[in-house]
Amino acid sequence: GEKPLEQDTDSVEETRDLMFALMLLLSREVLSKTDRAILGSILPDVTDSQLMSLLKGLSPEALIKAIVDSLMKIFCLIQPLMLVFEGDGDIDPASWNVLKTLMERAPEECPRLIILVLSRNEMNLPESVAHFKEEAVKVELKPFDRFETMLYLKLLLGIQGEEIEIDEKMLDTVHDRANGCPLYVEYIVTWALERRMIEQDSESKKMILLHDDVSEETAIPRELSNIVLAAFNNLSPTLWDALKIASCIGYSFDAKVYKQLTNAMDLMPKVEELANLYDAFELSIDSNTYKWKHQAVFEAVKSLLIKNQTVQIHGMIAEEYEKEGSTDQGLSLDAGMRRLLARHFLLAEKWEGAFDQYMEAGKQAEDTFNYPEAAKMYEEAIICQGKLSYRPSLSSRLLPTIKLGNCLRELARYEESEAVLTRCLKEVEKERALQISTDTEQMYVLALTVLATLHQNQSKYNQARELYEKALPIARTVEGSSSSLWLANHIAGYAEILRKMGELEASEKLHREALKMREDNSCTELELAVSYTQLGCTLIGLGQAAEAYERHRSALLLRFKYLGFSHGLVSESLNYCAEGLSSLSRSEEGIPLAMHCVAIRKEVFGTAHPAFAHALSILASCFDAVGRQSSAKGLLERCLKICEEAFPKDHANIIPNLMSYGRVLRSMGMYEEGRNIYERAVKVHRINFKQGQKQLQLDTCLKEIRELTEEMEKGPDQRSVFLSESDRVLQHVTDRTVDVDADGTPLIILTDIGRDVDDEYALMLLGALTRKRLVNPLAVVTTLSPSRKRAALSKGSLDALGLLHVPVGIGSAGGVEEGRELEVYESAYRKASASIFEDGMNLMLLSLSSAPDKSVRLLGLASLTDFASLVRNHEDLFVSKVKEVVIMGGLEPLDSHDTLQPDTAYNNKCDMESARYLYERCQELGVPTVTLSRWAVYGCPVSNELFDELCKTDHMVATNLRRVSMTSINELWRKVNLPFPHPGREKLPERCNRKWFCGTFFGKDDIRRDGSASIWDLVTKLFMYDPLAMLCCVDEYRHEFFRWTTKEVNGVIHHFVGVSESNNGVIDPKALCNKLSYLFRFSLRESLQNIEESSN
């Protein structure tokens, strides 16, 4: 449904700029800010250091998944497409893994994708993609045999299909010279035709080779380079040199890279001249890559060079870099350029330069978390180091090996990493025994800390701590400064180990020290967010919940500032903020954050990842804190199942989840099951920690086991009273005090949510009105079959909007015949809950009973069956408690009857008998009614821009409602374009045709778009039926925005807005739309703790 991307460009040339293309895709919401950061790992031009720093700690697998996620967003829009990878078989493992992931996902997400990998040499496939050998189509271009050479000669000479053959001697000569290469065949023919050496013999009807007193064998020179390079015979020496240099560089090369590397040699201008005047090279569409136009020319030029000349040329390139790199400005080279430059140093036999470049390439690959590539670069550096003619210093000697071990750790190759790092530590200790210097001390600290980090990853906390306690005092001495980021990182690393071991006071002190160093040394804001997060996690363990929450909130705002809402690090901060709010007894505020974290992590990490399990655990804790134990129990069971599969057996990380699960089971009266869980937690604790470590955790578990055992030993009459989740909700409804002055007008809402989006927008509006204390929702009752599913959707939506205290009940079928279920749209937050009242009528009765007399407004947004039943069966309660009944519906013309009569509006028509009864009894009993008709709604249409604006809050309710709206409006557009009575129109009336649709939603007679296309971007008129009815429940809004028509019946004034199309009753449509927009955004922002507003 989006406009084609090219509509926003002035020319094709503009899209060649990566940054322009990226910003275009961001503006069109094809990509998010998160995608920009991820793509920056492979396209450095589109990112910066702030964004790159966020990738720290991201595993290679997660990074590859994220890269493919971002690429797929683009590929799906532009398929069919072919991705072509060219090289000499030297493709790094990370790139192979990207190709593997692309191919695994393409069948479902981008089926019209072809990946073509070209190589002039045999490709070495890593083990991870070994299956490509069987599954991919391998096309091997072999040399022509004699018959194929004959066919190609006929094609080149234009005699295919004719009764003319190739002379046998000519064929032998050409085939011998070309050696099966079709390009050489072509060059030979071109060369011979230019000299008029080929003609047709009329007698034999064959193409023959003329040779002027020489044999066929000697007519064509054996050195084909003389033929292939004939077009370059008149080149100047400088251009010949450029050809030779280019042949050493390779078959294709990056113009920007070699413009930097060979600036003083003036190579690229000469290459450009050779391309334009001599057709030697061709430039790629992105204007960055030159490729030899003819492979035969490349091979011929390359064959002219002897080894000494090749070494000399590579040496020239290396020397140019050394000159440029030594200037004040220097050169800015990415990892790929470093790798190329290292190759030139290597082929020039300049081992020290090659070592330096491989080290830099490895470092830059590490910085972008491309650990497979980094490991390969460090291995190359180690090889170069072995060829040096002198013994390097200790740091130079061990640094590549330590870095290799670190990369192996990141790749989860723990045994290999431990062997490498232990060997390094022993060598440093051996050197240190001979002499102590700054160099040896720095290397000792590095060797200790990288090995400690490995042990931490392996949950070997004691070993990790011992190593850090050796390293940190030395680091403080060596650095000689209290304001070093290098030192801050070591301090924070040690603090994290202490935190995991339960030594929280010491951990807090160190984290505060590290934070101050980072703040004083202008680290990036995203790195600062890491410090806030680490300190916040420590503080929560110390019970300092208020500061912990503020630290996590600071991290959240910084991350949201730079990243998209759907980024994994944003989800981490959402999770910890939810945990902090729960610790502050504000779990109702934390639940929307935790719900969004679960949704984000499901997308980013998948449902089998520990990060997703942690999000489930935090959400469960929040639900447990508000008495929703059944919901918490299901979440924790799912969490534990993931952890059991993801972690090694009896891993320490599972203990907090076991404790949460045990606590929930106890609160549900499941004492034996709870004790078993706590006993399991004790067992895992003793496996992972020494005596005294994390003692509070162990003591808590043992205390719970004792108390649960005592409960089990009591008789049934002596045990603690257990309330189920539904009983807790019932108790809340029964015991609550309704304060009209403090909390606003009490409201009971009847809704058929899930049929149309406007019901859920009404709940969104309810969030704003509740927070502003203009209304006090006592109950939401769902009607219209299947009302149970509608109740689940209502509860999930209210939870996400931070309205957990609002009880939801299941109402009637709303007039729908038994056994028939109408549509309920999908949402990720629609969940069955034990907190939902099975009897919606009972919920209404309890809610009315708790309210002051004549205070409650009933709001009917659906079939009126349930309200009619309330009046019919509980008339006295209705009369005593209800102040007013507000209905989204319609009335017959007021002057056509003495009393109000419902018209054929949808909500009335669902159960017309109930609608008539409700209006009749309200008038007879003196209960005022307020009716809003469709004409009032038509008087205040909203455009799709409102939906798009609300989605900028990233709230799950807003994004889901826009999705549903887009799907619904596009489906309706498809139906109205079908002729009546096409079965695809389903029950759509004949009047609802294309003309009706265009007039209703576009305000036009017609548009230039067919029925199969999306029309969302053109929609200017959408209607907010139920939110406007909700607004009428607030007196100040009712009088500000609507012009009312009244009718007095039995001495009571009844209000009606939207009498007709010409008298729609809307005073100022623009002001009303603005108010709706403001209230919607207020509701969404408040439920997410005002993240969007605070981060700007």
Side-chain angles (χ1 to χ4, degrees), residues 242-289:
L243 274 180
K244 293 175 181 178
I245 294 170
S247 73
C248 284
I249 291 174
Y251 184 62
S252 63
F253 47 92
D254 191 308
K256 290 196 300 183
V257 170
Y258 282 96
K259 185 176 181 181
Q260 288 194 69
L261 294 183
T262 61
N263 188 42
M265 296 166 62
D266 202 30
L267 174 64
M268 294 319 297
K270 295 170 187 172
V271 168
E272 185 176 354
E273 183 179 350
L274 287 164
N276 294 335
L277 300 182
Y278 298 93
D279 206 27
F281 303 99
E282 59 184 359
L283 191 60
S284 64
I285 192 171
D286 62 0
S287 301
N288 288 333
T289 305

Side-chain angles (χ1 to χ4, degrees), residues 120 177-178 181 183-184 187-188 222-233 235 240 243-248 250-251 280-281 292-306 309-310 313:
R120 296 174 58 247
R177 294 293 188 275
C181 175
L183 284 174
Y184 283 171
Y187 268 100
I188 292 169
R222 285 203 168 273
E223 291 296 331
L224 283 179
S225 58
N226 294 336
I227 297 175
V228 175
L229 300 177
F232 304 101
N233 284 340
L235 284 184
W240 262 112
L243 274 180
K244 293 175 181 178
I245 294 170
S247 73
C248 284
Y251 184 62
F281 303 99
W292 287 78
K293 187 71 173 287
H294 304 285
Q295 184 173 341
V297 175
F298 168 64
E299 298 287 357
V301 174
K302 198 173 181 181
S303 70
L304 297 178
L305 299 174
I306 60 176
Q309 289 177 307
T310 302
I313 289 173

Side-chain angles (χ1 to χ4, degrees), residues 33-244:
K33 289 185 283 185
T34 299
D35 294 313
R36 177 181 176 184
I38 294 299
L39 291 176
S41 66
I42 55 174
L43 301 172
D45 292 352
V46 304
T47 190
D48 55 35
S49 59
Q50 283 277 10
L51 290 174
M52 290 307 295
S53 68
L54 70 94
L55 298 176
K56 288 185 177 178
L58 195 63
S59 71
E61 293 81 6
L63 181 59
I64 287 170
K65 178 185 180 298
I67 290 171
V68 175
D69 286 343
S70 299
L71 290 176
M72 278 297 185
K73 292 181 181 180
I74 305 171
F75 293 169
C76 290
L77 294 178
I78 60 175
Q79 62 176 314
L81 76 154
M82 177 185 288
L83 300 180
V84 180
F85 294 81
E86 283 190 288
D88 296 325
D90 192 19
I91 296 178
D92 63 276
S95 296
W96 277 119
N97 287 330
V98 169
L99 292 178
K100 172 190 173 185
T101 308
L102 278 170
M103 292 309 296
E104 288 173 346
R105 291 175 52 176
E108 290 292 328
E109 301 176 46
C110 189
R112 293 180 292 168
L113 169 67
I114 293 178
I115 295 180
L116 186 62
V117 183
L118 305 179
S119 175
R120 296 174 58 247
N121 300 320
E122 183 69 24
M123 285 182 283
N124 297 313
L125 274 64
E127 187 64 30
S128 60
V129 293
H131 60 286
F132 277 10
K133 294 178 181 178
E134 289 76 34
E135 297 175 6
V137 177
K138 183 178 180 182
V139 179
E140 186 175 353
L141 300 180
K142 296 182 177 180
F144 278 175
D145 59 23
R146 189 173 182 278
F147 178 71
E148 289 168 328
T149 300
M150 183 270 291
L151 292 178
Y152 194 43
L153 278 172
K154 295 183 74 172
L155 176 68
L156 294 173
L157 295 172
I159 59 173
Q160 72 273 30
E162 299 184 18
E163 295 181 357
I164 302 174
E165 299 299 328
I166 304 295
D167 179 69
E168 292 294 319
K169 291 184 178 180
M170 174 180 168
L171 175 58
D172 288 339
T173 301
V174 173
H175 185 65
D176 177 65
R177 294 293 188 275
N179 198 27
C181 175
L183 284 174
Y184 283 171
V185 173
E186 185 177 342
Y187 268 100
I188 292 169
V189 170
T190 302
W191 181 83
L193 287 174
E194 286 175 352
R195 288 158 178 74
R196 299 181 180 180
M197 293 175 61
I198 298 176
E199 69 174 30
Q200 179 182 339
D201 181 58
S202 57
E203 291 184 8
S204 62
K205 291 186 178 182
K206 292 182 179 180
M207 302 299 293
I208 63 172
L209 189 64
L210 303 178
H211 42 83
D212 295 336
D213 298 328
V214 295
S215 67
E216 285 86 345
E217 289 76 9
T218 57
I220 300 174
R222 285 203 168 273
E223 291 296 331
L224 283 179
S225 58
N226 294 336
I227 297 175
V228 175
L229 300 177
F232 304 101
N233 284 340
N234 297 322
L235 284 184
S236 65
T238 56
L239 290 179
W240 262 112
D241 288 343
L243 274 180
K244 293 175 181 178

Side-chain angles (χ1 to χ4, degrees), residues 14 134 204 263 266 478 485 503 515 527 582 628 721 801 805 821 874 876 906 976 1037 1045 1057 1089:
E14 258 186 311
E134 289 76 34
S204 62
N263 188 42
D266 202 30
V478 169
L485 290 176
E503 299 187 25
L515 174 60
E527 289 173 325
S582 183
R628 299 264 292 271
V721 177
L801 292 165
H805 67 282
E821 292 192 351
H874 308 279
D876 292 342
Y906 177 79
V976 300
Y1037 294 149
T1045 300
V1057 63
Q1089 301 294 304

Side-chain angles (χ1 to χ4, degrees), residues 1023-1094:
F1023 304 108
M1024 289 286 183
Y1025 296 87
D1026 295 342
L1028 291 181
M1030 175 77 71
L1031 215 58
C1032 290
C1033 295
V1034 179
D1035 290 335
E1036 64 179 88
Y1037 294 149
R1038 178 188 297 186
H1039 299 306
E1040 181 180 357
F1041 296 113
F1042 300 105
R1043 187 181 300 108
W1044 296 91
T1045 300
T1046 61
K1047 187 177 182 72
E1048 184 175 342
V1049 180
N1050 295 331
V1052 174
I1053 302 297
H1054 298 266
H1055 292 78
F1056 183 34
V1057 63
V1059 173
S1060 65
E1061 184 175 7
S1062 59
N1063 182 16
N1064 59 46
V1066 177
I1067 296 173
D1068 185 342
K1070 183 177 180 182
L1072 181 51
C1073 282
N1074 289 340
K1075 177 59 72 173
L1076 280 175
S1077 177
Y1078 161 73
L1079 291 171
F1080 286 146
R1081 291 177 68 86
F1082 177 81
S1083 176
L1084 298 174
R1085 284 173 168 169
E1086 285 289 313
S1087 67
L1088 291 178
Q1089 301 294 304
N1090 289 301
I1091 299 168
E1092 179 194 14
E1093 193 172 70
S1094 301

